[in-house]
Amino acid sequence: MFFAPPGDGDGFLSMAECQYIVKHELDTLRAKEETHVPGYSHVKLYPGKSIIRRLLSKRILVQIFPLHHKEELKRLSFSWYKKVKLSLQPLDDIRHYYGEGQALYFGFLEYFTFALVPMALFGVPYYLFDWEDYDKYVVFAVFNVVWCTIILELWKRFSASLAYRWGTLSRKKAFEEPRPGFHGVLGFNPVTGREEPLYSNTKRQLRIYLVSLPFVLLCLYLSLYVMMIYFHMEGWVLSMHDQDPTFWTGVLLYIPSIIYAVVIEAINLVYRYAAEFLTEWENHRLESSYQNHLVLKVLVFNFFNCFASLFYIAFVMQDMALLRQSLATLLITSQILNQVMEAFFPYWLQRRRNKKMIRKLQKRRAFGDKELPLADQVRLETDMCTYLGTFDDYLELFLLFGYVSLFSCVYPLAAVLVVLNNITEVYSDAFKMCRVFKRPFADPAANIGVWQLAFETMSVIAVVTNCALIGMSPQIKAYFPDSETQLILWTVTIE
């Protein structure tokens, strides 16, 4: 087992930057020739492949992680989640301890929460006064269009100011090192002159277009099939309620949407693992390229899986009452599942794992406040959960942004629910980072990367969707009683 030294963080480099340098050096260790691992004659090292990844895959190295710095973590925990406060998060402290990538995620989470407040304040009275009138959503849809466009432009300014303050604004990706998982024939890079693995781009493209793309299309088809089963269930429940309306049949109306929401979460989870396997198999040279292809695969499927039924209800069935019910059920169910899986389950699992270990360590300590010996701290943190990065966190925010920006004009309380979810997300994520997860290696970043493009794409789709909903509203149709063509042309022009 190897663990990076915590570092004091008082010198020229921050603690996170010291750890990043250590991790970079480990990742760039590659075998130059085919040989055996000393002391392990059955384990071979192959030219151009990462030594550390090979040792980890063969369990010669068990884990590699930086240890928590107890005093720094205690100070960060107190200012971050241990006291309920209305002030902003300590982003500079988070950056110092965890790095810019993690700090930018929490900065975006905080910004997104505050950006939702105007929509939530506007949505509550709108929802209360027009509860039964599903067609009076034009004003809120117009507000939605302006809101989802402006907040992302303002985020760019806020993100750039953070990156400037942290010294990563001009950080270039032009000279990225090959990612640890990249493998190929060992050769010389014509730009740097350094020895590194080489892999044919043609082979990679063939893998993408002949295997990955058909797989994604097949998954989209299966998602569509599941959606049609949901609509059959919905139709059956509605017919039962219409024949004999009782309290129980009224409750039964929500069951298909709840089941569908649970199935969506399960399918998304299974697909995520398949997408990671395929993207790894494509053998991308750079980490940025790997992340871009993985994000594209996951986002396309998640968008289709989560929102296809809402688009079908809105623009094919044109049933605004069912759209409101489906949106509310999907949003609430997904938030409950996410909170259970991301907050309560990891905490319960960690307490169960460490219960015996903590009891053993406490018996060894002569005084209650005495600091743990280094060996005991290593044993304790080894059993902690491994933090897998900000991918799932950004994905959750992306889907929540979609629920709010696409169809919240028919369910204005969506923004309120997301604000409440984000507030609990800040505290639960902070608690997990400090108490549940091993300390991750730092990831220097100048912005939120490909997720900026993902959110901007969603905002474009939101503009088109809200303008189409405006064009479908009875209030707007009344201005074009004789010509539907003119209505469509005006809607497209506004878009």
Side-chain angles (χ1 to χ4, degrees):
M1 179 184 296
F2 175 89
F3 55 93
D8 57 12
D10 296 329
F12 177 71
L13 300 175
S14 69
M15 300 173 71
E17 288 168 335
C18 293
Q19 292 163 8
Y20 173 74
I21 293 172
V22 173
K23 183 67 163 56
H24 178 270
E25 292 302 314
L26 292 173
D27 287 342
T28 52
L29 289 175
R30 294 181 181 272
K32 293 188 176 182
E33 58 185 19
E34 187 173 325
T35 183
H36 292 282
V37 176
Y40 296 88
S41 58
H42 62 286
V43 180
K44 274 189 176 183
L45 295 176
Y46 296 97
K49 290 195 174 182
S50 171
I51 296 176
I52 296 298
R53 281 177 64 91
R54 184 66 172 168
L55 298 180
L56 286 170
S57 66
K58 294 299 181 180
R59 305 297 293 172
I60 297 173
L61 279 179
V62 181
Q63 297 180 45
I64 299 177
F65 62 92
L67 288 176
H68 280 292
H69 191 286
K70 292 299 181 182
E71 291 302 319
E72 290 287 340
L73 184 63
K74 188 182 296 184
R75 284 195 289 267
L76 177 61
S77 300
F78 182 76
S79 62
W80 198 1
Y81 74 89
K82 282 192 174 180
K83 58 179 181 179
V84 178
K85 59 187 187 308
L86 296 177
S87 59
L88 303 179
Q89 296 179 91
L91 295 181
D92 289 325
D93 295 337
I94 298 171
R95 176 254 172 181
H96 176 77
Y97 194 78
Y98 288 110
E100 292 82 9
Q102 197 66 35
L104 280 170
Y105 160 70
F106 281 101
F108 182 76
L109 174 60
E110 178 182 274
Y111 173 84
F112 182 42
T113 305
F114 277 104
L116 284 165
V117 171
M119 179 173 281
L121 294 176
F122 186 53
V124 170
Y126 206 91
Y127 179 81
L128 294 176
F129 294 130
D130 288 322
W131 166 257
E132 294 296 337
D133 198 341
Y134 298 103
D135 296 324
K136 292 184 178 179
Y137 54 76
V138 174
V139 176
F140 200 89
V142 172
F143 179 81
N144 227 347
V145 167
V146 177
W147 174 84
C148 69
T149 305
I150 288 178
I151 64 161
L152 293 178
E153 294 303 314
L154 293 178
W155 163 250
K156 288 182 188 177
R157 296 171 61 88
F158 182 61
S159 173
S161 67
L162 289 177
Y164 177 77
R165 192 165 77 219
W166 296 336
T168 60
L169 183 62
S170 301
R171 185 173 182 269
K172 302 296 183 183
K173 291 276 188 177
F175 299 106
E176 278 187 274
E177 296 283 351
R179 50 187 294 270
F182 176 63
H183 57 85
V185 179
L186 205 60
F188 287 93
N189 187 315
V191 177
T192 62
R194 294 173 59 182
E195 197 173 28
E196 66 178 47
L198 302 176
Y199 187 78
S200 170
N201 187 57
T202 303
K203 290 183 180 179
R204 184 182 299 113
Q205 296 301 320
L206 288 175
R207 290 186 175 190
I208 292 173
Y209 291 107
L210 296 183
V211 179
S212 297
L213 181 59
F215 175 79
V216 173
L217 294 177
L218 175 63
C219 290
L220 293 178
Y221 172 77
L222 294 176
S223 176
L224 182 63
Y225 186 76
V226 172
M227 183 187 75
M228 298 314 297
I229 293 176
Y230 157 67
F231 282 122
H232 283 302
M233 292 173 56
E234 193 76 50
W236 175 71
V237 171
L238 283 171
S239 63
M240 182 184 296
H241 181 69
D242 292 338
Q243 289 176 3
D244 184 21
T246 63
F247 171 78
W248 294 111
T249 57
V251 172
L252 196 62
L253 289 174
Y254 293 92
I255 300 301
S257 296
I258 294 175
I259 294 175
Y260 184 54
V262 174
V263 170
I264 283 177
E265 294 296 325
I267 293 175
N268 285 344
L269 185 62
V270 173
Y271 176 83
R272 166 69 188 279
Y273 288 113
E276 286 183 345
F277 174 81
L278 279 176
T279 310
E280 184 72 36
W281 178 70
E282 290 166 6
N283 196 24
H284 296 277
R285 178 180 177 272
L286 302 179
E287 183 65 30
S288 59
S289 177
Y290 172 86
Q291 290 294 332
N292 291 344
H293 281 80
L294 178 61
V295 168
L296 180 61
K297 288 186 185 71
V298 173
L299 288 191
V300 168
F301 181 78
N302 277 261
F303 180 86
F304 192 87
N305 200 30
C306 294
F307 301 116
S309 61
L310 300 179
F311 277 98
Y312 185 84
I313 295 171
F315 301 114
V316 178
M317 300 174 64
Q318 298 188 12
D319 188 342
M320 297 304 158
L322 181 58
L323 179 62
R324 171 179 285 189
Q325 175 191 316
S326 299
L327 175 60
T329 307
L330 288 173
L331 181 57
I332 293 172
T333 306
S334 65
Q335 287 184 343
I336 292 174
L337 290 175
N338 284 331
Q339 288 298 326
V340 170
M341 294 301 294
E342 293 185 7
F344 298 107
F345 182 71
Y347 176 66
W348 172 81
L349 186 63
Q350 184 58 32
R351 286 191 58 138
R352 186 178 180 184
R353 282 178 177 176
N354 286 350
K355 196 172 183 180
K356 293 182 180 179
M357 178 63 73
I358 292 174
R359 191 176 295 127
K360 288 179 182 178
L361 296 179
Q362 287 176 341
K363 288 180 180 178
R364 298 180 186 178
R365 294 163 64 183
F367 304 99
D369 296 329
K370 186 178 178 181
E371 187 176 348
L372 276 177
L374 182 61
D376 289 341
Q377 182 183 349
V378 173
R379 292 190 188 98
L380 185 62
E381 293 189 20
T382 298
D383 287 334
M384 297 175 75
C385 299
T386 301
Y387 182 66
L388 300 177
T390 57
F391 187 97
D392 289 319
D393 298 319
Y394 278 121
L395 178 60
E396 182 185 351
L397 293 182
F398 173 81
L399 295 177
L400 292 175
F401 179 71
Y403 283 123
V404 171
S405 61
L406 292 174
F407 298 108
S408 64
C409 60
V410 297
Y411 184 60
L413 281 186
V416 179
L417 295 176
V418 175
V419 167
L420 296 176
N421 175 82
N422 286 3
I423 292 173
T424 60
E425 189 84 8
V426 168
Y427 285 96
S428 65
D429 283 355
F431 174 81
K432 287 189 297 182
M433 293 300 300
C434 296
R435 295 287 301 276
V436 176
F437 291 131
K438 296 183 186 72
R439 186 179 184 180
F441 281 99
D443 178 27
N447 48 54
I448 61 174
V450 69
W451 290 103
Q452 179 72 39
L453 178 61
F455 279 91
E456 289 177 356
T457 303
M458 179 67 83
S459 73
V460 172
I461 298 173
V463 169
V464 176
T465 302
N466 282 276
C467 288
L469 289 171
I470 292 171
M472 289 168 50
S473 65
Q475 292 81 10
I476 301 300
K477 285 183 176 180
Y479 290 99
F480 303 91
D482 302 321
S483 177
E484 188 173 344
T485 304
Q486 285 188 357
L487 174 60
I488 294 173
L489 289 174
W490 272 104
T491 302
V492 173
T493 302
I494 292 172
E495 288 173 358

